[in-house]
Amino acid sequence: MFAKINAESRIVIIDDVPTNLRLLDSCLRAVGLRNITTFSDSAQGLDWLLSNAWDLVLLDLDMPAPDGFEILDRLNKRDRTESPVIIVTALNDQQNRRKGLEKGANDFISKPIDLPEVLLRVRNCLELSQAAKQLRDVNAELERKVELRTVQLASSYKAISSSLNRAASYRDDDTGQHIVRIGESSALLAKAIGMPSPWCELMKMAAPLHDIGKIGIADAILQKPGALTPQERQIMQEHARIGYEILRDPHGSPLTDLAAEIALAHHERWDGTGYPNGLQGTQIPLSARIVSICDVYDAIRMPRAYKQAWDVERSRRFITDQAGTQFDPFLVDIFSSLFDEIDRLRSPDGSEA
Ligand code: C2E
Ligand code: SIN
Ligand code: SIN
Ligand code: SIN
Ligand code: FE
């Protein structure tokens, strides 16, 4: 009957009548429970309970102070599921029994003591407390694992993301700062239009992957010092679809799904003349409309193999001029209010980071 119960369960019996103590003690020892502490002095018992770990208390209610009710009150802050209390009451004393249960006792045993009943109730309470403790341990273990996984995920994300950066860095002087800033400015813009924080965080991680498809484009085109021929331009534009194919995954995560959506659509234009699908207005996913502005604002301010860097005024004017043609005018409006903040991402004094 006690097969599932740990024989080392710490059981405390408090009863001012020594014969009751001995009876309960020997009854529990008879079924194999070994770790039993008894108190006929209720004050000592209470002290012990308050300063030791235990699994179950059998508590007489009717004792010189502190009586069982007072002890229940003092124990009340403890978790009754993990540390149950069985009160011992006279058979005909319904009122006190109810009061004891109200004060948090888990169960009761009637006097005169019926041993089979005692054993059943003790077993039930110990099973309950064991299960509660196991559940707590499992939860703690789960929490620890989730924490560990979160840390692992964050560091694998960083590792993957910097590998991808290296893979996509096709210029010797490219430190990858451009794409980091695009993550940060995209998150800022997303936040400023009131998107929820988790989405903004995801944008911060997904946006830097927007140009990953460039790893599929030949260096001869990517690093060409001059303007592209129409045919080269067409090949170059494939980077959007290539990025999408790289990031798209049937078992994708919210991060890769968002990154794939961005990679595909970040060169679409509000007026419908962009690539690869010629989407128009809000047909373009919000994520891509955001990254598009952030990408271009950062790209035009960088020197490229084929062009000089633009200064701040010209860059800002370009962005605002393109509201409604290249870019979502609503987003440009908000983005303009963030110009200073976004420029500070380059470095505190506004110079190239
Ligand atoms: P990117 O250099 O990262 O530029 C991203 C986007 O920023 C460009 O997308 C474009 O919308 C904008 N952008 C960058 N520089 C300029 C500029 O000088 N003027 C204007 N008006 N917009 C600019 P886009 O045009 O679809 O180009 C995609 C990628 O193709 C560029 O990425 C770059 O890697 C390459 N690319 C584009 N044009 C040329 C070119 O004339 N020569 C070479 N070698 N590469 C080019
Ligand atoms: C990179 O992908 O690392 C840089 C992209 C860019 O400079 O346009
Ligand atoms: C939004 O504020 O959620 C959408 C913004 C937009 O569609 O441009
Ligand atoms: C998106 O999930 O990026 C689309 C939301 C929108 O376009 O408002
Ligand atoms: Fe691009």
Side-chain angles (χ1 to χ4, degrees), residues 155-335:
S155 73
S156 19
Y157 169 76
K158 282 202 189 103
I160 290 172
S161 150
S162 68
S163 307
L164 290 176
N165 280 357
R166 276 196 301 279
S169 293
Y170 46 87
R171 275 196 256 356
D172 293 332
D173 62 350
D174 190 6
T175 58
Q177 281 307 300
H178 165 64
I179 59 174
V180 171
R181 285 194 300 266
I182 288 172
E184 287 171 351
S185 50
S186 296
L188 276 177
L189 181 51
K191 191 85 221 158
I193 63 169
M195 294 301 284
S197 293
W199 196 77
C200 301
E201 280 303 304
L202 217 51
M203 281 294 283
K204 187 175 183 165
M205 297 191 283
L209 299 171
H210 70 283
D211 260 350
I212 191 65
K214 281 180 176 174
I215 65 178
I217 306 299
D219 280 1
I221 297 177
L222 274 179
Q223 301 186 7
K224 183 177 172 181
L228 302 177
T229 65
Q231 200 202 356
E232 287 168 337
R233 179 161 289 278
Q234 212 179 330
I235 293 171
M236 184 61 222
Q237 293 184 351
E238 279 302 305
H239 82 277
R241 251 189 240 287
I242 296 169
Y244 174 71
E245 292 300 333
I246 291 172
L247 293 164
R248 191 176 61 119
D249 188 323
H251 313 291
S253 60
L255 176 62
T256 49
D257 289 350
L258 185 64
E261 171 181 283
I262 293 168
L264 185 65
H266 74 280
H267 286 292
E268 298 289 356
R269 293 169 54 111
W270 184 256
D271 62 12
T273 64
Y275 61 90
N277 290 314
L279 300 181
Q280 203 175 351
T282 54
Q283 288 178 332
I284 308 164
L286 175 65
S287 59
R289 278 180 273 144
I290 289 174
V291 171
S292 157
I293 299 174
C294 297
D295 179 28
V296 172
Y297 184 61
D298 208 272
I300 54 184
R301 295 190 55 187
M302 293 181 76
R304 295 300 204 207
Y306 61 95
K307 67 162 186 73
Q308 304 277 306
W310 295 10
D311 64 35
V312 186
E313 280 69 36
R314 185 177 173 204
S315 305
R316 292 186 176 186
R317 203 174 337 111
F318 180 79
I319 297 293
T320 47
D321 283 351
Q322 292 296 322
T325 47
Q326 189 163 353
F327 306 126
D328 176 344
F330 166 77
L331 291 179
V332 168
D333 225 43
I334 309 290
F335 189 81

Side-chain angles (χ1 to χ4, degrees), residues 73-134:
D73 284 339
R74 298 288 303 277
L75 293 181
N76 220 8
K77 290 195 187 69
R78 296 211 183 184
D79 179 353
R80 270 296 87 72
T81 334
E82 287 190 24
S83 310
V85 176
I86 299 178
I87 50 177
V88 183
T89 64
L91 186 57
N92 55 2
D93 193 359
Q94 265 166 355
Q95 210 180 339
N96 278 334
R97 181 184 308 159
R98 189 174 317 131
K99 190 172 155 198
L101 291 171
E102 277 167 8
K103 284 184 181 293
N106 299 66
D107 205 348
F108 60 87
I109 293 167
S110 307
K111 280 191 279 197
I113 286 163
D114 172 52
L115 292 181
E117 183 194 350
V118 170
L119 292 178
L120 278 171
R121 295 192 191 272
V122 164
R123 185 195 61 179
N124 288 347
C125 277
L126 283 177
E127 271 178 8
L128 173 72
S129 78
Q130 267 178 217
K133 282 173 189 133
Q134 274 163 12

